[in-house]
Amino acid sequence: MADSDIATRAPESDAQETPAAHVPPPAASGQSPIPGDSIAQEGPTMGEHCTTDRPTPEGETPTGELTKLGGVDVYVAKPSDYPHSPSKLLLLLTGGTGIKSTNNQLQADKYAAEGYLVVMPDQFDNDPAPNTVNMAELTKDASWLETIKMKSAEGIKSFMIDMWLARHTPEKVMPILHKVVESAKEEFADAVANGGGIYGVGYCFGAKYILILAGEHPDTVAWGQEAPKDEEQGTVKEAPIIKAGAIAHGTMVTKEDLEAVRTPMYIVAVKDDPLFSEEEVLTPGRETMEKNQVDHEVQVFPGVPHGFAVYGDYNDSKIKQAQAQAYGLMLGWIQAH
């Protein structure tokens, strides 16, 4: 495919360089670039698109509803003909912008339009990630002193994101997901039965947790705790919770997350991405998946920013095309499994 390639590398971040042929022209005088359309930039621990929404495409409005499952806030999107026609249950885990993001809700609606009953839980317990700062926009007309002050503010924002990540660890997130999954199995038992289990898709922060839910883990890890140091003491293994999954530009993913996967998995990644290291994470993870005969594919997209697959608008037509392509690949994977 012209704008992507299948490869054995899959780092992921929005702090990368676009190949020369894809460098967008500079904005005209007085014209403000859309945050994130420029790919060569510096950012905090998580990419900008993990913590900040793109502009919402004009005229689009979410059609699902905010409700609760297992006492947890969720956004639920249903096919228009449900329950009169059979559906399949899909767990959608978001980036740091969370379930109240219009773009995330529209993303859920897109999967619902393809016949999935989509449950998108609030993994963050009403504590979404702090927004990043668009420094290119803020500093374009600023004096040198104002620029220094704003860059200092950017450092503070980066620190805030790191502190936010420290609050949202597997120990905190996994119990939330277990509550939602168990409640969804009861509330939407027909969809679970029709699909032969639960499907999962995850973006950015949520990608790591789709991998965990697709893995075979000691029961402590399955609930977000540390693995036992001595696994010879009769450790109970928990089976995967989802039957097939697809992820895009994961953050905080470890090679152990990939090595534990036991169900079919599609991985959309960004080329030259330091947040998803080829050498330390992807390559050893894939080697173990192949050894374990786990059905999987990796699609690497060059010249796009971290978070490009999350629904939202871009000025760059190549990024728009890549976004649509990534969605089609992820959808096609879960439909095939």
Side-chain angles (χ1 to χ4, degrees):
M1 300 179 183
D3 288 317
S4 61
D5 52 25
I6 296 178
T8 58
R9 62 181 303 154
E12 171 241 30
S13 157
D14 61 351
Q16 56 195 295
E17 294 185 358
T18 309
H22 299 309
V23 175
S29 176
Q31 179 182 356
S32 301
I34 292 181
D37 248 27
S38 173
I39 298 168
Q41 56 185 298
E42 294 182 357
T45 305
M46 293 179 70
E48 177 183 341
H49 301 278
C50 284
T51 58
T52 305
D53 271 331
R54 298 293 306 164
T56 300
E58 187 175 355
E60 298 194 26
T61 304
T63 57
E65 63 173 345
L66 288 167
T67 182
K68 286 183 180 290
L69 281 175
V72 177
D73 290 335
V74 296
Y75 178 83
V76 176
K78 303 175 181 177
S80 58
D81 55 357
Y82 179 82
H84 304 293
S85 296
S87 183
K88 298 178 180 180
L89 187 65
L90 175 66
L91 183 70
L92 192 161
L93 303 184
T94 72
T97 50
I99 67 170
K100 294 183 180 178
S101 154
T102 298
N103 287 353
N104 289 340
Q105 293 177 359
L106 290 171
Q107 188 120 53
D109 293 349
K110 284 171 64 67
Y111 285 105
E114 297 294 335
Y116 291 91
L117 195 160
V118 184
V119 173
M120 187 169 71
D122 178 11
Q123 308 163 86
F124 313 120
D125 194 20
N126 200 32
D127 178 31
N131 291 337
T132 55
V133 177
N134 175 23
M135 295 307 298
E137 172 66 13
L138 290 180
T139 62
K140 65 173 184 167
D141 296 319
S143 68
W144 68 269
L145 181 58
E146 290 170 332
T147 299
I148 290 174
K149 289 180 179 179
M150 284 185 283
K151 285 191 177 293
S152 177
E154 183 185 43
I156 294 172
K157 184 70 73 172
S158 179
F159 174 75
M160 290 173 62
I161 291 173
D162 288 343
M163 293 298 292
W164 177 82
L165 286 170
R167 293 196 300 273
H168 299 288
T169 61
E171 186 178 8
K172 298 292 182 65
V173 175
M174 289 305 298
I176 293 174
L177 297 182
H178 279 295
K179 288 179 183 178
V180 171
V181 167
E182 291 307 310
S183 182
K185 286 179 179 179
E186 295 182 7
E187 183 77 14
F188 306 116
D190 58 331
V192 176
N194 183 59
I198 300 173
Y199 295 86
V201 293
Y203 296 83
C204 304
F205 184 99
K208 176 182 178 73
Y209 292 90
I210 290 297
L211 292 174
I212 293 175
L213 293 172
E216 182 183 73
H217 300 281
D219 56 354
T220 54
V221 176
W223 283 86
Q225 301 171 27
E226 292 185 4
K229 295 181 179 179
D230 185 357
E231 294 197 16
E232 295 182 359
Q233 297 181 350
T235 303
V236 177
K237 291 277 189 176
E238 294 285 342
I241 290 175
I242 61 173
K243 66 171 293 184
I247 65 170
H249 34 68
T251 54
M252 315 300 288
V253 174
T254 67
K255 68 181 181 67
E256 289 79 12
D257 294 333
L258 291 169
E259 290 171 346
V261 170
R262 294 293 183 272
T263 57
M265 185 63 57
Y266 200 94
I267 301 172
V268 168
V270 175
K271 189 175 182 180
D272 297 330
D273 185 348
L275 295 186
F276 192 3
S277 168
E278 173 194 357
E279 181 179 356
E280 298 178 6
V281 178
L282 184 60
T283 297
R286 290 196 69 189
E287 287 174 352
T288 302
M289 292 173 77
E290 289 167 2
K291 179 181 178 181
N292 293 334
Q293 299 183 330
V294 175
D295 188 12
H296 71 283
E297 289 186 21
V298 175
Q299 189 83 13
V300 179
F301 286 78
V304 294
H306 169 75
F308 79 96
V310 176
Y311 196 62
D313 202 8
Y314 284 91
N315 282 340
D316 190 329
S317 62
K318 292 186 179 298
I319 301 178
K320 287 183 178 181
Q321 181 182 353
Q323 182 183 102
Q325 186 179 349
Y327 168 74
L329 291 169
M330 295 170 71
L331 174 65
W333 180 263
I334 60 175
Q335 287 177 331
H337 291 83

